[in-house]
Amino acid sequence: MDIRIGCGYDVHALADGLRLVLCGIEVPHTKGCVAHSDGDVAIHAICDAMLGALALGDIGKLFPDSDAKYKGIDSTLLLKEVIELVRYKGYDVSNIDCTIAMQRPKLRPHIDAMRVRLSEVVGIAIDRVSVKATTTEHLGFEGREEGVSTTAVVLLIAQ
Ligand code: MG
């Protein structure tokens, strides 16, 4: 069986008054991610994990932030393009696991909505989509609420 694994990591700075979008869900908060796109750090990490599994580079190569057409773009559209590429290359997504690190707000109330949204966008069952959240116990940039990071792992299986 031909299987591929990929990992992804992304970070965005937080600033007052911006929208906070994680896994395609808008989370009510006083701060949001500074970005060329909608700043969905979780989806960016997932995209990079998929691209990494197939050694296709990274999200910055596919969707350069110098390109005006990606300004403010809904990152679920980027993920859909990556999924199309994955399927074109002959693979299906087996499962996704990601961990979002941020100090505040508590993400637990939004986790299930994030999993539903990701399962819709990727086109796989919800029990194949894991979204976890952690604080960093006030340590580092996440702990100081200067930024948010996400790590992601995906498994791809040949069609
Ligand atoms: Mg990013």
Side-chain angles (χ1 to χ4, degrees):
M1 184 166 53
D2 183 9
I3 60 173
R4 298 288 192 101
I5 191 167
C7 68
Y9 176 68
D10 194 31
V11 172
H12 280 265
L14 287 168
D16 290 332
L18 299 177
R19 291 166 70 225
L20 178 62
V21 183
L22 297 168
C23 298
I25 298 295
E26 187 156 345
V27 176
H29 192 41
T30 55
K31 295 179 173 189
C33 288
V34 179
H36 185 70
S37 67
D38 65 0
D40 194 327
V41 62
I43 283 189
H44 297 173
I46 291 166
C47 286
D48 264 358
M50 292 190 184
L51 295 171
L54 296 177
L56 292 173
D58 59 39
I59 193 171
K61 180 179 167 191
L62 236 68
F63 312 110
D65 63 8
S66 54
D67 190 331
K69 80 174 170 184
Y70 299 120
K71 183 144 182 53
I73 194 170
D74 176 346
S75 292
T76 62
L77 299 175
L78 305 182
L79 180 55
K80 280 179 181 164
E81 274 196 47
V82 170
I83 293 292
E84 268 182 39
L85 188 56
V86 165
R87 299 213 165 106
Y88 174 76
K89 291 284 182 182
Y91 289 83
D92 285 320
V93 179
S94 173
N95 72 299
I96 298 169
D97 184 21
C98 68
T99 303
I100 303 166
M102 73 185 306
Q103 194 64 40
R104 272 192 329 128
K106 283 275 173 251
L107 297 179
R108 169 107 303 275
H110 308 286
I111 292 287
D112 286 341
M114 292 177 188
R115 293 177 61 219
V116 168
R117 186 75 187 110
L118 283 178
S119 74
E120 288 168 354
V121 172
V122 178
I124 58 175
I126 191 165
D127 66 357
R128 291 175 177 270
V129 179
S130 163
V131 178
K132 309 189 300 298
T134 185
T135 71
T136 59
E137 300 290 347
H138 299 283
L139 297 169
F141 64 86
E142 301 99 328
R144 292 189 297 270
E145 301 182 42
E146 295 166 358
V148 49
S149 67
T150 301
T151 58
V153 177
V154 303
L155 200 70
L156 306 181
I157 296 183
Q159 289 159 358

